[in-house]
Amino acid sequence: MTEDQLVERVRELIHDVPDYPEPGVVFKDITPLLADGPVFRAVVDHMAGTAPGRVDLVVGMEARGFILGAPVAAALGAGFIPARKAGKLPRETVTGAYDLEYGSAVLEVHADTIGHGARVLVVDDVLATGGTAAATVELIGRTGGEVVGLSFLMELTFLHGREKLDGQRLDVLVGF
């Protein structure tokens, strides 16, 4: 499948769910994409294929970033680190607060899982306001890691999240 064919198929498989999780928000449901094995594999291969050089760790943000990040890490032969919502990790953590399109939240990573100088690829399903990704980049920096790139399945361009990630290497498969 060519990249253009993949983009077209991904667009077909992502479903809009109006007024979820609250009125006025249009949620992008990737469940149909995940259920299509060949397309899911092609998405993972694309995301892994755009990694800039050696990647030691992939960080995926809760929750859909886990679904994409873990297989991207496996494809790269890299480790996977979950960036979790506050209170979900059992050991010492580094935390970062951020704003969402429809609220705010806190992300955490274990303080000792990203070694100094580790080359880290950040993976998530959607770049929206950029708050989640910017908080994750900050967390990685505070643990000694080096963000070498961010890879997203899709971008909601009207929210201008890219602006919060100025200077970061970004790859986005599909823009909305």
Side-chain angles (χ1 to χ4, degrees):
M1 171 178 323
T2 68
E3 186 171 330
D4 288 343
Q5 290 170 324
L6 178 59
V7 167
E8 183 179 326
R9 187 69 180 128
V10 165
R11 285 182 176 282
E12 292 169 359
L13 290 170
I14 295 175
H15 293 199
D16 287 348
V17 181
D19 299 321
Y20 184 84
E22 64 181 47
V25 175
V26 177
F27 184 80
K28 299 289 190 189
D29 181 14
I30 67 169
T31 306
L33 181 151
L34 299 173
D36 186 314
V39 174
F40 182 37
R41 172 72 184 254
V43 166
V44 169
D45 290 347
H46 170 83
M47 294 177 100
T50 62
R54 186 187 94 245
V55 172
D56 301 312
L57 297 168
V58 172
V59 171
M61 289 86 91
E62 191 160 334
R64 297 186 305 175
F66 297 175
I67 296 167
L68 294 169
V72 168
L76 292 170
F80 176 75
I81 304 293
R84 302 284 324 257
K85 294 178 182 171
K88 300 287 186 179
L89 294 173
R91 297 182 289 109
E92 181 184 349
T93 61
V94 177
T95 63
Y98 61 99
D99 292 324
L100 296 161
E101 180 183 358
Y102 47 84
S104 62
V106 175
L107 277 182
E108 298 180 330
V109 296
H110 278 128
D112 62 353
T113 56
I114 301 172
H116 181 74
R119 292 176 51 86
V120 181
L121 176 67
V122 176
V123 172
D124 205 3
D125 66 316
V126 63
L127 173 58
T129 64
T132 306
T136 302
V137 167
E138 178 189 337
L139 287 175
I140 292 165
R142 288 175 44 213
T143 61
E146 173 194 352
V147 175
V148 295
L150 294 95
S151 184
F152 299 93
L153 171 64
M154 66 183 130
E155 178 180 8
L156 305 179
T157 58
F158 63 93
L159 293 174
H160 308 287
R162 232 171 234 273
E163 294 170 9
K164 289 186 181 166
L165 300 169
D166 191 34
Q168 295 293 328
R169 184 184 186 285
L170 298 176
D171 178 71
V172 175
L173 184 58
V174 178
F176 291 98

